[in-house]
Amino acid sequence: MCHEKKRSPFRYFKTSPEIIRLAVMLYVRFPLSLRNVEDLLHERGIDVSHETVRFWWNRFGPMFATEIRCRRVQQLRSYSNWQWHLDEVLVKIDGERHYLWRAVDHEGEVLESYVSKRRDRAAVLKFMKKVMKRYGQPKVIVIDKLRSYGAAMKVIGNASRQETGRWKNNRAKNSHLPFRRRERAMHRFRRMRSLQKFVAVHASVCNNFNQGRSISQRDHFKLARAAALAEWRGLCAA
């Protein structure tokens, strides 16, 4: 369910919503530690501890991500000829191997992220059902040569829609780069649940601020950046 108009979630906090949004954005969007965010806020005359930033991120990060995603889901579902790119990457959680699955659309926007312990058909099937339930069916699904994809698509019945190529899946592979930078800054993750929570919020924030700097003219980029920042500042507004 999308975010409905309710009472302000900031009503019990003495700190202004603008400061909370700024702190969460700095922590999620950039590869900064909690103490880095504390220092940056202190330079702006805002005296909060890194534990406060941690609390804000845990409390409001998923809330902000849900609102961003709900604003985009209906728009994305209206595309009938769009293309998905699916890929997985190895992630270590407390020394154990896990896999982070990611679905990306034809414009490089992350649709869904999912963490699993295995890389088999069951994991792919659960991931794809989750994506299709939210966004519908794509026209084409670009994948790599992992056999689990083909096995899962035969179960779903869309095996004829898959495409495989050497460089065709670069959009999905490039979508892992911001997460890798963030992972190094956080010295990896200790729990599967915390990783799933973070990648969901991180993907939504990246989608909001991803303006294609390298392929846009300067004037267009500045307008898009200002619009993205204005949308962020309006999240969870009463």
Side-chain angles (χ1 to χ4, degrees):
M1 294 294 292
C2 290
H3 179 75
E4 300 177 355
K5 290 294 183 181
K6 297 180 180 179
R7 290 183 297 176
S8 171
F10 307 102
R11 61 186 180 278
Y12 297 126
F13 291 81
K14 296 180 180 179
T15 309
S16 69
E18 290 75 15
I19 293 176
I20 295 175
R21 292 191 191 99
L22 175 61
V24 175
M25 182 189 71
L26 290 174
Y27 180 64
V28 180
R29 184 184 177 190
F30 302 105
L32 300 171
S33 68
L34 294 168
R35 287 177 172 81
N36 291 151
V37 176
E38 177 185 349
D39 292 339
L40 288 173
L41 294 176
H42 183 265
E43 291 179 3
R44 290 161 173 78
I46 305 170
D47 186 17
V48 296
S49 70
H50 68 279
E51 289 297 336
T52 301
V53 177
R54 186 198 304 275
F55 177 78
W56 288 345
W57 133 249
N58 281 303
R59 176 72 178 268
F60 294 101
M63 196 181 303
F64 295 157
T66 299
E67 187 161 339
I68 293 173
R69 186 167 56 246
C70 286
R71 292 181 180 184
R72 295 173 181 267
V73 164
Q74 296 302 323
Q75 179 182 359
L76 293 175
R77 286 181 68 94
S78 64
Y79 289 96
S80 60
N81 297 323
W82 65 339
Q83 179 174 284
W84 291 0
H85 299 256
L86 306 183
D87 191 49
E88 81 288 344
V89 65
L90 175 66
V91 181
K92 284 194 174 183
I93 304 176
D94 200 20
E96 296 184 0
R97 296 163 65 97
H98 290 72
Y99 296 94
L100 172 60
W101 306 83
R102 204 183 299 272
V104 182
D105 71 359
H106 58 287
E107 294 182 345
E109 185 155 321
V110 179
L111 303 176
E112 194 72 49
S113 299
Y114 172 68
V115 183
S116 69
K117 293 184 178 181
R118 299 183 181 274
R119 196 171 54 158
D120 54 7
R121 186 187 71 172
V124 179
L125 198 59
K126 186 174 182 180
F127 172 54
M128 292 189 64
K129 286 182 177 179
K130 183 178 181 181
V131 183
M132 288 189 294
K133 182 179 180 181
R134 178 168 289 167
Y135 296 99
Q137 283 272 7
K139 182 178 181 181
V140 178
I141 300 179
V142 182
I143 57 175
D144 56 23
K145 295 183 179 181
L146 180 67
R147 293 183 180 181
S148 300
Y149 288 119
M153 289 184 184
K154 288 180 181 178
V155 175
I156 297 175
N158 59 359
S160 60
R161 302 186 181 189
Q162 65 182 16
E163 290 186 2
T164 304
R166 186 175 182 182
W167 291 294
K168 283 188 175 181
N169 214 21
N170 282 353
R171 285 195 183 276
K173 295 185 181 300
N174 290 337
S175 70
H176 296 306
L177 298 180
F179 167 75
R180 286 301 195 192
R181 290 192 290 267
R182 197 67 187 82
E183 182 187 33
R184 288 193 293 270
M186 297 179 69
H187 302 290
R188 303 199 176 187
F189 296 86
R190 295 179 177 85
R191 291 186 301 172
M192 183 173 171
R193 182 179 178 182
S194 62
L195 172 59
Q196 180 65 69
K197 178 180 178 180
F198 182 84
V199 294
V201 177
H202 185 260
S204 294
V205 174
C206 286
N207 288 340
N208 186 72
F209 290 100
N210 182 19
Q211 307 301 329
R213 180 190 295 265
S214 60
I215 60 176
S216 302
Q217 296 182 357
R218 180 64 180 173
D219 292 341
H220 295 166
F221 168 73
K222 289 170 66 176
L223 290 173
R225 181 175 60 182
L229 188 58
E231 182 179 354
W232 177 265
R233 289 171 175 168
L235 292 177
C236 296

